[in-house]
Amino acid sequence: MTLPEPLIVFIVLAPGLAAAIAGLFQKFIGDKIAMTITSATVITAGILSLYQLFAYATGDHHGGGHGAHIIPLLEPWISIGEFQANWSIRVDAMSIVMMAVITSVSGLVHLYSWGYMEEDPHKARFFAYLSLFTFAMLMLVTGDNLLQIFFGWEGVGLASYLLIGFWYHKDSANSASIKAFVTNRVGDFGLALGIMAVFYMFGSIELHAVLDAIKENTFENVQPIMTFAEGALPRDAVMEFLGIRFYALELIGVLLFIGAMGKSAQFFLHVWLPDAMEGPTPVSALIHAATMVTAGVYLVCLLSPIYEYAPVASGFIALIGAVTALYAATVGLAQNDIKRVIAYSTCSQLGYMFFAAGIGAYQAAMFHLFTHAFFKALLFLGAGSVIHGMHHEQDMRKMGGVAKYMKLTYAAMLIGTIAIIGLGIPHTSFGFAGFFSKDAIIETTFAASLKGVTFAQLAFWFGIIAALLTSFYSWRLIYMTFHGPMYDAAHSAHSHDVHDDHGATAETHSEPDMTAAVGEPDHAHHDEHHEPHESPLVMLIPLVLLSIGAVFAGFFFYDSFVGHHQKEFWDGAIYAASENTVLKDKYDVEHGGIVPGWVFYAPLIVTILGFLLATFTYLFNRGVGKRIAQSGGPLHALFANKWYFDELYQATFVRGTKALGDFFWKVGDKRIIDGLGPDGLSGLARWSSARLSAMHTGYLYHYAFVILAAAAVFGAVALINGTGAN
């Protein structure tokens, strides 16, 4: 039995109300009450969302003719001429999956933050931001029109700015929050243009009207603003943009995906994501696991009817996703900050989701989004537990031997690592969550390549290589952090023989010590010896619960998301054209598919190979890693410096924008506008007044002379004119 409408409304709206209460009234209610209200609200919403998801997975749900049940809140919400928009909550399999991910992970992050942020003096503000973030994401994933989605989209951007820059006394946090905000606005400009193009083409931004028109290939139930060529249907309509004619769906698909690129940190617009680590660790878990970065994947899958009939746009998505998966995996190899390693793994895993959507396997993309939320939140919160136990240290080169002090955290990190590398045995039910979802993407991508889907073959091989690298850097993190000798700060001050990667140039940052004075981040821990300690119970409980999801989520939901019951589960929430058979084609030959048997074992082989290489390099022969780092080389430098993207952006966009701004300011504004306008006129007035003032001598005979001279001139002119008249 599914939830009644009032409880669905509670899930969506209650976190926003809790955020408002905690943020506006914390001075009156105190930190504890503010934390309790926000945490209890989000955790309750998480329990209800998970209940709804299980009801859908077991087949106990109803559709509304379009695979969705609509709960109207404001009708109309906005009405301006031909533009109409309602405010409704859209309940279907897509929104339920996202609601479950957002609220469950956010609820555990709220609980975790009770321990992690215990000594922060601004706890109420922090919890208010967390709940605001959750509310904005819920508005995004339940929106029934593109304007609602855009409202949530921008709300998430605002909340992320507040959370990343929460420790505003740190310059690095301020810079990171601005970087995230600006980069996302670049993508959001494309999203806004895409929404405008949708309205221009269909005369509506309501999802059911627009998507049904594309599915049925008719304008019968919509009223386009523009006039298309006679007989043109939605799939064949042409639209002009920047003086060039494009197929309308292709143009809309690319513009909307540009928005997704920014929000989900895809290649070229990815630069903000690693810097988001400047926020508190619970924020990192929230952004990377369940909310902001998944919005782009959700948008592409939600608008699957557009991309089913926009092969160029879909190919572009597949290409960007494949490049992102490989790029981020290479950079993750050379990072030494424990949070940044996990951050780049997020970027890489998002690449998998996007190239899955690009080749038409939207169900597989959503499946990996779902499982990824559990093990990625587990990894981030586990890393936060390590940072907490290591007295705010984040540099893995200054760790080692932590396992014996933090056994539960170590176990949780092991589970998260096994889940993200996708360890499992093909054609069996043995495997952690990542095995079921990531392998489904890789297998489906190979099937798509056999059908000639654009960039599918490239995506497959990039995905295989990225799987190898993911396994390597994930085990590298485990070995550097939890195994080997413990780092001796006193000894290292007199020796360069740090246990691993001492010569690497990757950035590392330490989170502020909350016991220090407010606004004074403490970095002195690096020079003192502090014995690691296990985190408090309130931080360990979320790790246990997330571990359950990281182990069993893939096995339990496989059949519903991508297996034999996927059509019943999605119930029209995801659309696949009749010629899109990539999911069916992924099964082996014995089950009627076209994928050869070796494809199913390829991910397992590269995963084991990555594990063996990391074990040899960082466990049995730890000096190898140090020598590689110290030797440098162009390849290591490229990876350690993140392919020099920050430098490239600084040299082009940052300096270019500054130069352009200076030109418009100094030349356009000051010299031309002000120079010819107010400054020029005032200067002319000053010049003329100065000259005229020189004539005011104060002597009467001077004035008399001027008067007589003027009279003589005027008399002469009059005489001449009179003579001419005769």
Side-chain angles (χ1 to χ4, degrees):
M1 180 178 180
T2 55
L3 295 174
E5 289 187 0
L7 289 180
I8 298 292
V9 175
F10 172 86
I11 293 173
V12 177
L13 301 183
L17 179 60
I21 294 173
L24 298 176
F25 302 105
Q26 62 93 11
K27 290 185 178 180
F28 305 99
I29 62 179
D31 288 345
K32 293 294 183 182
I33 296 178
M35 294 162 62
T36 301
I37 291 173
T38 53
S39 301
T41 301
V42 176
I43 290 173
T44 303
I47 294 171
L48 293 174
S49 297
L50 287 172
Y51 172 87
Q52 186 83 338
L53 177 62
F54 277 95
Y56 268 64
T58 55
D60 187 10
H61 67 280
H62 57 279
H66 305 284
H69 176 61
I70 308 301
I71 304 175
L73 297 181
L74 291 174
E75 290 186 348
W77 172 38
I78 298 176
S79 180
I80 306 174
E82 297 180 353
F83 180 84
Q84 304 288 324
N86 299 323
W87 192 288
S88 305
I89 295 176
R90 191 172 198 265
V91 184
D92 61 4
M94 284 278 290
S95 64
I96 288 299
V97 168
M98 294 301 297
M99 289 166 65
V101 168
I102 294 164
T103 55
S104 60
V105 173
S106 181
L108 294 175
V109 168
H110 275 73
L111 179 61
Y112 181 92
S113 298
W114 277 73
Y116 195 88
M117 303 295 289
E118 181 181 6
E119 298 178 356
D120 193 283
H122 306 292
K123 292 187 286 292
R125 177 167 64 91
F126 180 76
F127 277 76
Y129 290 170
L130 289 182
S131 293
L132 176 64
F133 198 108
T134 306
F135 168 70
M137 269 304 296
L138 289 170
M139 296 306 303
L140 191 160
V141 302
T142 59
D144 191 41
N145 61 63
L146 292 173
L147 189 60
Q148 276 185 260
I149 293 174
F150 191 77
F151 172 83
W153 199 273
E154 296 304 306
V156 171
L158 169 64
S160 68
Y161 171 81
L162 297 173
L163 284 169
I164 295 171
F166 180 77
W167 286 322
Y168 54 83
H169 53 271
K170 295 173 59 182
D171 291 338
S172 56
N174 290 325
S175 298
S177 62
I178 294 172
K179 190 175 185 179
F181 191 83
V182 172
T183 305
N184 274 272
R185 298 296 75 74
V186 173
D188 293 353
F189 182 67
L191 178 65
L193 290 176
I195 295 173
M196 296 176 194
V198 169
F199 180 70
Y200 194 51
M201 179 177 179
F202 295 99
S204 174
I205 57 171
E206 299 293 329
L207 289 178
H208 67 275
V210 172
L211 299 183
D212 283 355
I214 298 171
K215 294 175 189 176
E216 299 167 6
N217 200 27
T218 178
F219 288 111
E220 186 175 337
N221 297 318
V222 293
Q223 289 148 22
I225 304 299
M226 67 179 298
T227 302
F228 298 101
E230 187 176 351
L233 297 175
R235 301 175 194 174
D236 304 312
V238 175
M239 185 180 292
E240 187 172 307
F241 181 70
L242 299 177
I244 305 173
R245 293 171 64 82
F246 299 93
Y247 281 110
L249 292 184
E250 297 282 12
L251 176 62
I252 291 170
V254 171
L255 290 174
L256 293 174
F257 176 63
I258 291 174
M261 286 176 63
K263 197 68 71 183
S264 295
Q266 291 300 281
F267 188 75
F268 194 74
L269 293 180
H270 67 280
V271 293
W272 69 268
L273 189 62
D275 288 354
M277 299 302 97
E278 292 294 339
T281 297
V283 172
S284 305
L286 196 62
I287 290 177
H288 288 72
T291 51
M292 187 170 175
V293 297
T294 63
V297 180
Y298 166 79
L299 182 70
V300 171
C301 294
L302 176 68
L303 303 179
S304 53
I306 295 177
Y307 294 103
E308 283 294 274
Y309 302 105
V312 175
S314 296
F316 179 60
I317 294 172
L319 175 62
I320 293 295
V323 171
T324 303
L326 183 59
Y327 158 77
T330 61
V331 176
L333 295 172
Q335 300 303 304
N336 295 312
D337 186 309
I338 188 171
K339 288 171 62 177
R340 286 180 177 265
V341 174
I342 305 173
Y344 277 105
S345 79
T346 298
C347 199
S348 183
Q349 298 305 307
L350 287 166
Y352 279 93
M353 301 174 204
F354 273 109
F355 74 66
I359 58 103
Y362 313 101
Q363 301 90 334
M366 289 299 300
F367 189 28
H368 197 48
L369 182 157
F370 177 73
T371 62
H372 175 264
F374 293 102
F375 56 74
K376 184 50 55 75
L378 176 61
L379 287 170
F380 264 115
L381 296 186
S385 181
V386 172
I387 295 169
H388 184 271
M390 291 290 294
H391 307 276
H392 310 286
E393 180 59 71
Q394 296 180 201
D395 193 340
M396 296 187 301
R397 297 169 296 181
K398 299 180 179 180
M399 300 180 186
V402 177
K404 64 181 179 180
Y405 299 98
M406 307 178 69
K407 293 181 173 62
L408 290 176
T409 298
Y410 175 54
M413 291 291 287
L414 274 180
I415 292 172
T417 296
I418 296 172
I420 194 172
I421 66 175
L423 184 63
I425 301 176
H427 308 304
T428 71
S429 300
F430 178 79
F432 285 37
F435 161 71
F436 292 95
S437 58
K438 188 161 72 175
D439 280 30
I441 290 176
I442 293 174
E443 295 154 10
T444 306
T445 304
F446 188 88
S449 72
L450 296 179
K451 291 293 188 69
V453 176
T454 307
F455 293 118
Q457 190 172 47
L458 176 74
F460 170 77
W461 289 110
F462 276 22
I464 290 292
I465 298 171
L468 169 66
L469 302 180
T470 300
S471 179
F472 180 85
Y473 68 66
S474 296
W475 286 109
R476 171 180 179 264
L477 183 153
I478 292 294
Y479 293 141
M480 289 181 66
T481 304
F482 295 101
H483 292 268
M486 179 164 289
Y487 173 75
D488 187 347
H491 176 72
S492 69
H494 305 284
S495 174
H496 297 287
D497 190 26
V498 177
H499 68 78
D500 194 23
D501 287 355
H502 185 71
T505 58
E507 301 176 16
T508 56
H509 304 273
S510 293
E511 300 197 353
D513 180 8
M514 299 308 159
T515 62
V518 178
E520 298 289 337
D522 181 18
H523 302 281
H525 290 294
H526 303 172
D527 302 322
E528 303 175 9
H529 178 73
H530 293 270
E531 188 173 277
H533 58 83
E534 187 62 274
S535 298
L537 184 62
V538 73
M539 293 174 61
L540 296 176
I541 291 175
L543 298 184
V544 173
L545 296 176
L546 288 169
S547 295
I548 296 173
V551 175
F552 298 108
F555 167 75
F556 186 85
F557 288 98
Y558 178 87
D559 201 44
S560 297
F561 276 76
V562 297
H564 298 292
H565 295 96
Q566 56 95 3
K567 288 186 177 179
E568 293 84 357
F569 175 77
W570 294 112
D571 190 29
I574 290 177
Y575 174 77
S578 57
E579 58 270 20
N580 183 351
T581 61
V582 291
L583 276 183
K584 184 179 70 174
D585 293 338
K586 85 177 187 67
Y587 296 106
D588 61 18
V589 177
E590 294 180 1
H591 293 85
I594 62 175
V595 177
W598 68 266
V599 173
F600 293 85
Y601 291 92
L604 176 62
I605 293 172
V606 297
T607 295
I608 294 174
L609 180 59
F611 164 74
L612 294 176
L613 289 173
T615 302
F616 172 79
T617 307
Y618 294 98
L619 186 63
F620 296 141
N621 192 359
R622 301 177 71 86
V624 173
K626 186 190 76 170
R627 289 195 295 271
I628 293 173
Q630 290 181 337
S631 63
L635 197 61
H636 180 271
L638 180 68
F639 297 162
N641 290 283
K642 301 165 285 187
W643 290 28
Y644 297 100
F645 260 95
D646 285 343
E647 290 80 359
L648 177 63
Y649 274 55
Q650 185 70 24
T652 54
F653 294 107
V654 176
R655 293 181 183 175
T657 303
K658 185 178 182 301
L660 188 64
D662 287 343
F663 173 80
F664 283 121
W665 168 42
K666 296 180 180 179
V667 178
D669 186 34
K670 297 190 70 172
R671 294 186 182 180
I672 298 177
I673 297 176
D674 290 344
L676 298 179
D679 290 348
L681 293 175
S682 63
L684 179 62
R686 286 194 302 271
W687 181 86
S688 60
S689 64
R691 300 301 182 275
L692 291 172
S693 65
M695 300 175 64
H696 293 275
T697 62
Y699 294 105
L700 184 61
Y701 64 87
H702 286 170
Y703 297 137
F705 176 78
V706 172
I707 293 171
L708 292 173
V713 171
F714 281 114
V717 172
L719 181 62
I720 293 171
N721 289 337
T723 304
N726 294 327

